[in-house]
Amino acid sequence: MKRLLVIVAAALSMVSCAALQNVNSQRLLQSGAYAAQALTLPKADVQAYVSQYITQLDAQSAVLPATDPYTKRLNNLVGKLTHIGDQPLNYKVYRNPEVNAFACADGSVRVYTGIMDLMTDEELLTVIGHEIGHVALEHTYQQMRRSLLTSAAFEGLAATSDKVAALTDSQLGAIGQAMIEAHYSKKQESEADEFSYSFLVAAKRNPWTMVQAFEKLQKSSGGSVSGPVSNLFSTHPDVATRIKTISAKCEADGFKRP
């Protein structure tokens, strides 16, 4: 709330100064109102915005059908992992050679054939667990809200109505850009790593596969992997430190490296 008041106060201050410079003060006031609205943007609204973008992205991508071996492999791998808490998850495979996978605030999980070709099932599950962790811990929602706050396109979203409306192509493009530019903090990445580790242990899987997945990503990309939506472990390129941290945790918990 304090941050919201600071932003609105700043907007009002800008209006006072701008009036002397014949700047449109009403537009500045409206910008302050939009900023305040972005700070309190409900999770359901963010999910609805993202869902519209993902629908468009799916239509523009080479989505593999349920009968494709890649899709069958993914579905067999995730099994009954259809929800995280109250959030339903939906999975699709994109035929794309990039080494990438991402999960969004609306529960959409998208996996590229490039990463499926690179990793074993166990390693791939590690990546999926990490990405889902960002959803479960509401990192995707928090980052999307922050991105919208700093995006000029939020004015168009906020002006539609109090309810989530059908978005224009430019607004959907702005959401996509916000998703591209969103970066998780070091703390959030660590929390997603912890989520994936606990997820693997609960599924009776050896968490050393997290280390192996990191090592493959590091070897294939020099420590960073990028994609059109998610930065997949590249927000903090010190992959070596994360490998060391997870390895120490595996050893402390008595797991043996395969």
Side-chain angles (χ1 to χ4, degrees):
M1 178 59 70
K2 182 178 179 181
R3 183 182 173 193
L4 187 154
L5 292 174
V6 169
I7 289 178
V8 173
L12 291 172
S13 176
M14 289 173 65
V15 170
S16 177
C17 296
L20 299 176
Q21 303 172 31
N22 295 321
V23 175
N24 188 333
S25 61
Q26 173 139 12
R27 184 173 180 80
L28 288 173
L29 276 169
Q30 189 65 66
S31 295
Y34 288 151
Q37 185 175 341
L39 283 173
T40 57
L41 191 63
K43 181 179 177 181
D45 285 3
V46 172
Q47 291 172 327
Y49 289 141
V50 172
S51 182
Q52 288 184 54
Y53 172 72
I54 291 298
T55 296
Q56 184 187 74
L57 184 63
D58 285 349
Q60 296 171 349
S61 303
V63 178
L64 297 181
T67 55
D68 188 272
Y70 281 101
T71 304
K72 288 182 177 180
R73 177 188 171 195
L74 178 62
N75 289 338
N76 288 335
L77 186 60
V78 297
K80 297 180 180 180
L81 185 59
T82 59
H83 287 74
I84 289 294
D86 295 331
Q87 176 63 60
L89 300 174
N90 66 89
Y91 301 87
K92 291 186 188 301
V93 178
Y94 288 173
R95 185 178 294 283
N96 190 313
E98 292 183 20
V99 178
N100 195 28
F102 64 89
C104 298
D106 69 333
S108 296
V109 182
R110 300 296 181 263
V111 182
Y112 290 29
T113 53
I115 197 170
M116 295 184 74
D117 289 337
L118 178 68
M119 296 189 170
T120 65
D121 283 357
E122 298 296 316
E123 293 162 354
L124 185 60
L125 193 61
T126 287
V127 173
I128 293 172
H130 177 97
E131 294 301 315
I132 289 175
H134 283 307
V135 177
L137 299 169
E138 297 193 349
H139 296 161
T140 52
Y141 159 64
Q142 295 163 9
Q143 293 304 101
M144 190 64 195
R145 188 179 63 177
R146 291 191 187 101
S147 295
L148 286 174
L149 177 61
T150 59
S151 170
F154 182 74
E155 180 175 333
L157 298 180
T160 53
S161 69
D162 291 336
K163 298 180 180 179
V164 177
L167 305 181
T168 66
D169 286 344
S170 62
Q171 289 167 346
L172 288 172
I175 287 179
Q177 190 64 33
M179 291 174 68
I180 292 170
E181 295 175 352
H183 293 284
Y184 297 118
S185 68
K186 184 175 182 179
K187 180 174 181 289
Q188 288 173 326
E189 290 290 356
S190 296
E191 289 173 347
D193 284 348
E194 287 284 342
F195 182 93
S196 184
Y197 185 97
S198 299
F199 164 71
L200 292 171
V201 172
K204 302 188 183 304
R205 308 292 181 102
N206 190 335
W208 272 104
T209 55
M210 290 186 67
V211 175
Q212 294 172 321
F214 274 124
E215 290 172 343
K216 280 191 176 179
L217 289 173
Q218 187 180 49
K219 183 177 180 180
S220 68
S221 63
S224 67
V225 178
S226 62
V229 177
S230 169
N231 289 324
L232 191 59
F233 296 135
S234 67
T235 305
H236 303 281
D238 189 9
V239 180
T241 297
R242 297 170 75 181
I243 290 175
K244 183 177 180 180
T245 299
I246 298 167
S247 297
K249 186 172 181 60
C250 288
E251 291 171 354
D253 289 343
F255 291 100
K256 293 184 178 180
R257 179 163 182 155

